[in-house]
């Protein structure tokens, strides 16, 4: 390829990546590298494509190959740190980000990645993570990513920050959203903070905006699934407790007990439907299909909850206690599924 054709190929790869078309990006970059195997920018783009498509180990191997010929390239060290972080090699990720920051001391992105790498390494990395994020803010105070780096330093994934840290993290997220009002990454961070503060309804609404802005980002879908699953959790356990209490109230006849349970069951179902309508404002059926694929156990749990509601209503209408028993059985099975789903999500 001549230089002009190489420029076109690089732009095509970048376009595919921006649209989440990783297979097309890989096909394009492999074709270009066949004609220009020593092109550093194409090697970077191949590593980015592998990283963005979830192949962190292959991306790291490609970066190590490129670093053998370009050891002073800060971008290669930066990408290597990102790949190492995803692989869980936090010490090596910190070292690679530190090298990128040494080679490009006045560029904010190496310091942002250094903050993320330190934060991911555990509680002992909190202080250096905040220092690196503060440096990125000094260098680029008007870039949303600098504020998000501080959020990652204060509130890394898996951490349980106190109220003061949540307030500081939310301040920086709001600053990022002032700079980029519909930034999917900033909206996702805001939703994490909202969920940590037990504001699951707000979190689901925030995540629906993040998903709309970046529909190919699976992390946003996962976080939204968690936020919306909380609605099923609240409705299920409220109904479970209500049924347990009401069937022990001797002052009510059996038919009256079933009528009260049916009313509470319909309220629980209305709660879930209402939350869905307010928190998922676009493409609800497409989202629900995706939810069923990603969270099969929770989807079955929700279906069982719907079956229990139907059984309780039929019991109230017909007076048949068999429907009451069927509804209670659905609640017990749903409780079992909830624990299995929680365990599987925790492992992932």
């Amino acid at each position: 390829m001549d230089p002009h054709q190489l420029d076109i190929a690089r732009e095509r790869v970048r376009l595919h990546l921006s649209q989440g078309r990783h297979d097309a990006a890989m096909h394009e970059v492999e074709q270009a590298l066949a004609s220009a195997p020593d092109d550093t920018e194409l090697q970077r783009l191949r590593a980015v494509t592998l990283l963005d498509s979830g192949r962190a180990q292959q991306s790291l191997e490609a970066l190590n190959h490129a670093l053998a010929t370009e050891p002073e390239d800060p971008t290669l060290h930066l990408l290597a740190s990102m790949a190492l972080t995803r692989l869980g090699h936090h010490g090596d990720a910190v070292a690679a980000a530190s090298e990128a920051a040494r080679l490009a001391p006045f560029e904010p992105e190496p310091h942002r990645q250094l903050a993320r790498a330190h934060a991911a390494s555990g509680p002992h990395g909190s202080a250096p993570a905040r220092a690196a994020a503060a440096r990125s803010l000094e260098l680029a105070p008007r870039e949303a990513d600098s504020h998000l780096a501080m959020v990652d330093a204060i509130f890394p994934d898996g951490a349980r920050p106190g109220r003061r840290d949540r307030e500081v993290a939310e301040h920086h997220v709001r600053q990022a959203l002032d700079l980029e009002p519909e930034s999917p990454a900033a909206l996702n961070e805001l939703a994490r903070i909202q969920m940590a503060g037990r504001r699951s309804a707000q979190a689901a609404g925030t995540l629906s905006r993040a998903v709309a802005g970046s529909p190919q980002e699976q992390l946003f879908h996962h976080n939204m699934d968690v936020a919306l699953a909380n609605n099923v959790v609240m409705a299920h356990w409220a109904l479970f407790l209500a049924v347990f209490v009401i069937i022990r109230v001797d002052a009510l006849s059996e038919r009256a007990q079933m009528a009260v349970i049916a009313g509470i069951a319909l309220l629980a179902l209305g709660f879930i439907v209402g939350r869905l309508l307010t928190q998922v404002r676009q493409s609800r059926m497409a989202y629900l299909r995706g939810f069923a694929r990603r969270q099969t156990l929770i989807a079955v749990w929700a279906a069982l909850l719907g079956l229990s509601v139907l059984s309780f209503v039929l019991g109230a209408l017909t007076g048949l206690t068999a429907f009451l028993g069927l509804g209670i059985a659905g609640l017990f099975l749903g409780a079992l599924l909830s624990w299995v789903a929680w365990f599987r999500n925790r492992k992932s």
Side-chain angles (χ1 to χ4, degrees), residues 248-267:
R248 282 163 174 75
V249 177
D250 295 332
L252 292 174
S253 67
E254 193 174 78
R255 191 71 180 262
Q257 287 177 346
M258 287 194 286
V260 173
I261 289 171
I264 295 173
L266 288 172
L267 286 174

Side-chain angles (χ1 to χ4, degrees), residues 187-203:
L187 290 168
N188 181 65
E189 293 297 314
L190 177 58
R192 283 204 309 129
I193 294 165
Q194 289 169 334
M195 283 191 283
R198 302 184 184 279
R199 292 177 284 164
S200 59
Q202 290 179 332

Side-chain angles (χ1 to χ4, degrees), residues 38-348:
D38 297 325
D39 187 271
T40 305
E41 181 60 20
L42 285 173
Q43 290 176 355
R44 285 196 203 99
L45 287 171
R46 181 173 182 271
V48 170
T49 302
L50 289 166
L51 190 61
D52 285 357
S53 61
R55 291 173 280 181
Q57 183 60 50
Q58 290 176 262
S59 177
L60 183 60
E61 291 167 3
L63 289 162
N64 287 336
H65 176 75
L67 280 165
T69 56
E70 296 285 343
E72 298 296 305
D73 187 325
T75 303
L76 294 176
H77 288 285
L78 174 67
L79 291 170
S81 178
M82 294 177 179
L84 287 161
T85 296
R86 293 195 186 182
L87 291 168
H89 304 321
H90 301 304
D92 291 336
V94 168
S98 297
E99 184 64 10
R102 184 188 70 80
L103 292 167
F106 301 108
E107 291 295 322
E109 186 53 36
H111 297 281
R112 293 195 281 252
Q113 174 55 26
L114 182 57
R116 291 188 287 264
H118 273 302
S121 66
H124 64 278
S126 177
R130 295 183 192 220
R135 177 59 177 155
S136 75
L137 274 168
E138 288 177 13
L139 293 169
R142 298 295 299 169
E143 291 184 13
D145 285 345
S146 295
H147 290 280
L148 295 181
M150 183 60 78
V151 176
D152 286 334
I154 295 170
F155 184 14
D157 283 333
R160 292 187 177 181
R163 189 183 70 173
R164 176 57 183 161
D165 279 346
R166 287 202 307 270
E167 289 172 353
V168 174
E170 185 162 349
H171 165 76
H172 283 285
V173 170
R174 299 290 183 187
Q175 292 289 313
L177 287 169
D178 284 345
L179 295 165
E180 294 183 21
E182 291 301 316
S183 164
L187 290 168
N188 181 65
E189 293 297 314
L190 177 58
R192 283 204 309 129
I193 294 165
Q194 289 169 334
M195 283 191 283
R198 302 184 184 279
R199 292 177 284 164
S200 59
Q202 290 179 332
T206 301
L207 281 164
S208 69
R209 292 166 59 196
V211 169
S214 186
Q216 75 278 4
E217 179 53 68
Q218 292 305 305
L219 174 63
F220 301 164
H221 284 281
H222 172 78
N223 287 343
M224 189 172 179
D225 291 347
V226 171
L228 287 175
N230 286 338
N231 298 331
V232 180
V233 171
M234 288 187 284
H236 175 270
W237 290 109
L239 180 56
F240 195 100
L241 180 62
V243 171
F244 181 80
V245 171
I246 291 166
I247 60 177
R248 282 163 174 75
V249 177
D250 295 332
L252 292 174
S253 67
E254 193 174 78
R255 191 71 180 262
Q257 287 177 346
M258 287 194 286
V260 173
I261 289 171
I264 295 173
L266 288 172
L267 286 174
L269 183 62
F271 170 79
I272 294 175
V273 173
R275 285 291 181 91
L276 179 66
L277 293 175
T278 57
Q279 295 168 2
V280 182
R281 295 184 175 87
Q282 297 176 338
S283 305
R284 292 189 185 98
M285 292 308 299
Y287 173 77
L288 289 174
R289 286 193 295 269
F291 181 92
R293 288 193 301 271
R294 293 185 299 271
Q295 300 286 347
T296 305
L297 287 176
I298 295 177
V300 174
W301 179 19
L304 280 170
L305 182 58
L307 177 62
S308 292
V309 172
L310 177 61
S311 298
F312 291 140
V313 171
L314 289 174
L317 292 174
T318 64
L320 296 175
T321 56
F323 285 117
L324 177 63
L326 182 62
I328 293 172
L331 291 180
F332 272 106
L333 186 54
L336 177 62
L337 282 177
S338 74
W339 285 107
V340 177
W342 174 85
F343 180 73
R344 290 183 62 177
N345 282 331
R346 187 168 178 263
K347 285 181 67 178
S348 62

